[in-house]
Amino acid sequence: MYAGIDIGSRTIGFVVLSEGRVALSRLIDTGFEPLGAAKNMLTEKYRRVVATGYGRHAAKSHFADAVITEIKAHALGAAHIFPGVRTVLDIGGQDTKVILLDERGVVADFQMNDRCSAGTGKFLEVMAAALGYGGMDEFGEAALQGSGGIKISNMCTVFAESEAVSLMHRGAAREDIALALHSAVVERTAGMLQRIGLTPPLVFSGGVANNRCIVTLLAEKLGTKVLVPPEPQLVGALGAALAAAKEQH
Amino acid sequence: MSNYNEMWRSLGLNMEAHDRLLQALPPTYHDVYLTQPNRPQGLEYFDFVVNEIHGLRIQELQEHKQNGGKVIGAFCVFVPEEIVRAAGGICIGLCSGIDIGAAEAEKVLPRNICPLIKSFMGFKLAKICPYFESCDMVVGETTCDGKKKAFEILNDYVPVHVMETPQMKRGRDRELWLEEVRDFARLVEETTGNRLTTETLAKSIREVNGKRRALRRLAELRKNDPAPISGLDSLLIEQIAMYDDVERFTGKVNELCDELDKKVQTGEGVFPSGTPRVIVTGTPMAIPNWKVPHLIETSGAVIVAEELCTGLRYFENEVAEDAGAMDAMLENVAARYLGVNCAVFTPNTGRMERLVQLVREYNADGVIHCALSFCDPYAVEANRVEKVLKEENIPLLKIETGYDQEDAGQLKTRIEAFIEMLG
Ligand code: SF4
Ligand code: SF4
């Protein structure tokens, strides 16, 4: 059995492979003690554990055998679920990555967002709270009901929040503002994809891929199909598990 | 170290701020340098120099001054060191790679300016750099707009002689630069009170060429796989080259190379053979800016060359030693400096051509382009680099970063992912 663990800023994903199949997968909140939480997920003896995500190096100094970056992990995971994928978009809690794969499924190029949280899961979370939505799902569903016409001009989380609040004060409909915020994220993401030279098929992974509004708007904007795996938050952990299985001969 | 307090005080340093700087350095140096695997013995000297960075070397400069010698500071590798030496002066690099005086600097500079400019301004305003305070004259240049305008401000605090470095490399630009070099020679004569003679100039040309040759010898050794020395250590030596005593430094670099020769023969290296090899290119990395090289070499790659002004551009070409008359010698000096491929030139195709050659010569797997934040010349020229490298199928990673550590985590992920791609 080979294990992959993806220690992200919001969630920890864990995937175990046995004879090439997923034997177990789990997703928990990162919490305040990521390393301890991660370690507790390893309940058995594995031949090899590969860690990825921002906590990968800490994991390596404690229990993991090797590390790979989130870039490689998402590429491996996405290519496993959707063979032939050429572009991977991953929007997680803190960052956005776009990855280009070659015909063999090997990373050919990648880009990450700048140091701030603009356009990431964090951005959407802050906006959902500012508009009084209970969570990301509710926020995304509401946005799907919204009608266009409003534009959010700021991508900085702090400025966009005050922009949204002042739109509310001016009487704009909540779902319209929600839609505008989703559109802003999509604009920015589409820009990154175009800069790197988007080649379909496109796979969308990470927590934000659960947001139906983002997926719909993105497909419209890009004019291409957006493939979302059943558990988009586990793609990184799957990739790490695949790396663990591959490197051991 | 404390026995230098008197000296520092007499230089007018702000002792409190200076203490803070001295406290910041050793832990960083330990973490970045002393934890590296398989370091060659010969680095002991360079470790010592860093340890004594504000001590022994400053004392030497003071002794030189007490004997009537002059110290001239420069911010760019365009300032001809051989002229200063020929007139009995000492030339030192004043580029600064730490953001300790930033708050002071922002009183006179915009916030969004390259950290190198902010750093040297901060050092002067906050009085924390004993090199700066030892200078009898500082020399600026008209390379990039930021520096050019900053020198006007710096001139309020210390007299700055500005050399006009051209923007192109045509015949008329070469003439202009030659004029600037001649003026500089005259000014150095006035400042030092010593006349340049063909003997002293020929000697100093030979000596400075000797320093360049030693550094080239070191660079050549890095073509081997496994590399006998890390990129971080090589960078350190290149940084020290700008302020250490020329002849002692040359000797020590050659001694180190003797040791490395043996390592190469027995196939010893700092990292295992087959480690991905990268070339770093972009804005100079002034001491103690080791941020990106440290991230690279702790992420599974080895740096085999620096196409930087703290690197190959500093020592690649020599001053021709074939002239006997003063005029011809100055012409040779001027010509050598215009061979530097700085991004302030347009076009700067020489840099792209050289980069491609270097990748082949050093058997590099990829290139990492590092521009300091807000450095327009290099950040914009990155596009030209990208275009040429793409045509040649050479992988490239572009980074823009400053002296702060805020983005270190994200940079590490990007660098690691790039190295995964090469592997
Ligand atoms: S990068 Fe250009 S301006 Fe800076 S030291 Fe080098 S030659 Fe001078
Ligand atoms: S790094 Fe760029 S902006 Fe800064 S001084 Fe050098 S050339 Fe000018």
Side-chain angles (χ1 to χ4, degrees):
Chain A
M1 284 199 300
Y2 301 98
I5 191 155
D6 177 3
I7 309 177
S9 64
R10 313 292 312 196
T11 56
I12 303 178
F14 182 61
V15 168
V16 177
L17 289 179
S18 174
E19 279 152 32
R21 292 182 178 284
V22 175
L24 174 97
S25 67
R26 280 188 68 200
L27 187 73
I28 61 165
D29 282 339
T30 301
F32 296 104
E33 246 190 292
L35 209 57
K39 217 170 158 182
N40 284 337
M41 295 176 98
L42 280 73
T43 49
E44 283 176 70
K45 198 98 195 78
Y46 309 98
R47 286 193 59 177
R48 198 172 156 80
V49 179
V50 170
T52 186
Y54 96 101
R56 65 192 181 282
H57 289 290
K60 175 145 189 247
S61 42
H62 286 87
F63 57 83
D65 299 297
V67 294
I68 60 173
T69 63
E70 299 95 294
I71 312 279
K72 188 170 176 182
H74 280 269
L76 283 172
H80 183 79
I81 304 171
F82 298 103
V85 53
R86 296 297 300 277
T87 309
V88 179
L89 163 68
D90 164 49
I91 310 185
Q94 270 182 347
D95 52 29
T96 303
K97 308 176 192 76
V98 292
I99 310 162
L100 222 50
L101 312 187
D102 66 13
E103 299 86 1
R104 301 162 299 156
V106 175
V107 177
D109 200 1
F110 65 90
Q111 261 178 34
M112 287 170 72
N113 64 322
D114 306 327
R115 45 181 107 181
C116 73
S117 64
T120 66
K122 182 85 196 162
F123 177 90
L124 287 169
E125 249 174 52
V126 172
M127 299 311 146
L131 294 180
Y133 290 108
M136 275 273 268
D137 290 344
E138 201 188 319
F139 185 38
E141 294 308 315
L144 278 173
Q145 309 304 316
S147 43
I150 301 181
K151 214 172 149 59
I152 295 284
S153 49
N154 266 299
M155 270 321 273
C156 162
T157 310
V158 178
F159 289 132
E161 186 182 2
S162 52
E163 205 179 334
V165 170
S166 81
L167 280 166
M168 263 200 300
H169 286 306
R170 272 188 273 145
R174 218 160 52 125
E175 56 273 16
D176 295 353
I177 306 172
L179 176 62
L181 286 162
H182 281 71
S183 301
V185 171
V186 166
E187 278 297 321
R188 188 185 166 91
T189 310
M192 272 178 90
L193 282 164
Q194 273 146 6
R195 271 199 301 281
I196 204 168
L198 165 69
T199 316
L202 166 69
V203 170
F204 186 5
S205 64
V208 175
N210 283 321
N211 183 313
R212 282 208 306 133
C213 182
I214 297 278
V215 176
T216 312
L217 293 178
L218 199 60
E220 270 171 29
K221 170 92 198 162
L222 298 169
T224 177
K225 222 170 143 192
V226 177
L227 304 167
V228 180
E231 289 174 295
Q233 279 152 294
L234 284 171
V235 174
L238 173 65
L242 289 164
K246 199 150 63 179
E247 283 162 37
Q248 181 84 29
H249 296 290
Chain B
M1 275 259 182
S2 55
N3 51 332
Y4 295 122
N5 275 339
E6 217 19 70
M7 175 175 80
W8 292 330
R9 215 166 273 128
S10 72
L11 279 169
L13 291 193
N14 173 340
M15 295 299 280
E16 225 174 280
H18 183 246
D19 273 353
R20 248 181 291 135
L21 173 62
L22 282 194
Q23 274 156 19
L25 217 47
T28 316
Y29 193 72
H30 176 269
D31 293 351
V32 174
Y33 275 93
L34 304 180
T35 55
Q36 295 179 95
N38 312 317
R39 286 182 90 212
Q41 281 275 311
L43 286 167
E44 243 171 54
Y45 169 74
F46 302 95
D47 286 338
F48 172 75
V49 172
V50 173
N51 220 350
E52 286 287 336
I53 189 163
H54 283 187
L56 215 50
R57 183 62 183 146
I58 296 296
Q59 198 172 315
E60 285 178 356
L61 294 183
Q62 294 314 310
E63 282 159 13
H64 167 78
K65 284 166 73 99
Q66 271 148 25
N67 296 327
K70 299 291 178 194
V71 176
I72 295 179
F75 301 94
C76 173
V77 301
F78 262 88
V79 176
E81 176 172 16
E82 29 291 269
I83 291 177
V84 177
R85 281 182 69 75
I90 293 180
C91 185
I92 50 170
L94 289 177
C95 275
S96 351
I98 194 168
D99 53 6
I100 273 189
E104 287 286 322
E106 280 173 19
K107 289 184 188 159
V108 296
L109 287 172
R111 279 184 62 96
N112 291 350
I113 196 165
C114 123
L116 198 147
I117 296 174
K118 214 185 257 185
S119 179
F120 74 65
M121 192 67 82
F123 271 32
K124 182 66 210 175
L125 264 59
K127 290 193 184 300
I128 37 186
C129 176
Y131 289 93
F132 223 137
E133 303 310 314
S134 299
C135 286
D136 297 287
M137 166 164 102
V138 306
V139 187
E141 8 65 43
T142 60
T143 47
C144 72
D145 288 349
K147 271 211 268 185
K148 188 166 68 190
K149 300 308 286 183
F151 291 135
E152 293 174 19
I153 302 174
L154 187 64
N155 195 51
D156 287 351
Y157 307 92
V158 53
V160 184
H161 169 72
V162 176
M163 294 182 81
E164 184 172 357
T165 45
Q167 308 279 296
M168 296 176 97
K169 293 181 179 177
R170 301 160 304 182
R172 67 187 93 153
D173 302 305
R174 290 177 188 282
E175 270 164 41
L176 166 78
W177 177 240
L178 178 57
E179 274 307 304
E180 286 293 319
V181 169
R182 288 202 186 107
D183 283 355
F184 180 64
R186 237 167 282 137
L187 185 68
V188 168
E189 286 181 334
E190 270 168 37
T191 310
T192 58
N194 298 325
R195 286 200 65 83
L196 294 181
T197 67
T198 50
E199 285 76 36
T200 57
L201 187 54
K203 179 163 177 277
S204 98
I205 287 174
R206 271 197 312 276
E207 285 163 358
V208 179
N209 276 344
K211 165 160 83 170
R212 294 190 185 112
R213 229 166 279 153
L215 286 165
R216 253 195 348 264
R217 185 178 162 205
L218 177 67
E220 287 291 317
L221 283 159
R222 296 166 69 195
K223 290 183 176 169
N224 290 289
D225 182 28
I229 183 167
S230 69
L232 266 173
D233 278 323
S234 309
L235 173 64
L236 180 73
I237 293 168
E238 289 152 355
Q239 290 169 333
I240 289 175
M242 308 215 171
Y243 65 89
D244 199 12
D245 176 77
V246 175
E247 286 182 285
R248 181 177 58 208
F249 174 86
T250 306
K252 291 294 179 185
V253 174
N254 277 319
E255 270 172 40
L256 172 70
C257 289
D258 293 340
E259 180 192 346
L260 298 187
D261 272 337
K262 292 198 196 92
K263 284 194 188 277
V264 166
Q265 267 162 27
T266 56
E268 265 178 84
V270 278
F271 299 113
S273 115
T275 299
R277 301 161 69 82
V278 302
I279 289 177
V280 168
T281 183
T283 40
M285 295 175 181
I287 202 164
N289 176 15
W290 306 304
K291 177 177 166 182
V292 175
H294 174 61
L295 287 173
I296 295 173
E297 292 198 326
T298 50
S299 298
V302 59
I303 300 168
V304 291
E306 299 78 33
E307 197 278 321
L308 305 174
C309 282
T310 48
L312 288 160
R313 280 183 233 141
Y314 178 69
F315 55 81
E316 264 212 314
N317 37 12
E318 290 182 12
V319 176
E321 294 180 12
D322 58 359
M326 183 57 76
D327 260 355
M329 279 184 186
L330 289 177
E331 271 169 39
N332 283 346
V333 169
R336 182 265 154 201
Y337 283 88
L338 269 195
V340 173
N341 294 323
C342 172
V344 298
F345 287 99
T346 184
N348 193 26
T349 40
R351 178 168 170 230
M352 320 314 148
E353 284 157 20
R354 187 69 191 118
L355 253 178
V356 173
Q357 279 170 4
L358 287 172
V359 169
R360 309 267 180 263
E361 285 172 18
Y362 284 78
N363 228 328
D365 301 296
V367 173
I368 300 187
H369 190 288
C370 308
L372 279 173
S373 0
F374 310 111
C375 168
D376 285 346
Y378 284 91
V380 176
E381 196 167 278
N383 170 275
R384 303 291 82 187
V385 172
E386 186 170 32
K387 185 165 179 244
V388 172
L389 295 191
K390 203 168 247 165
E391 282 163 14
E392 302 284 333
N393 267 322
I394 300 165
L396 169 75
L397 176 70
K398 288 187 297 181
I399 288 174
E400 257 184 77
T401 187
Y403 290 167
D404 60 285
Q405 294 294 328
E406 266 168 51
D407 56 348
Q410 217 232 20
L411 275 182
K412 181 147 178 72
T413 302
R414 291 182 57 201
I415 290 169
E416 271 184 42
F418 181 68
I419 294 166
E420 279 174 350
M421 258 172 69
L422 303 179

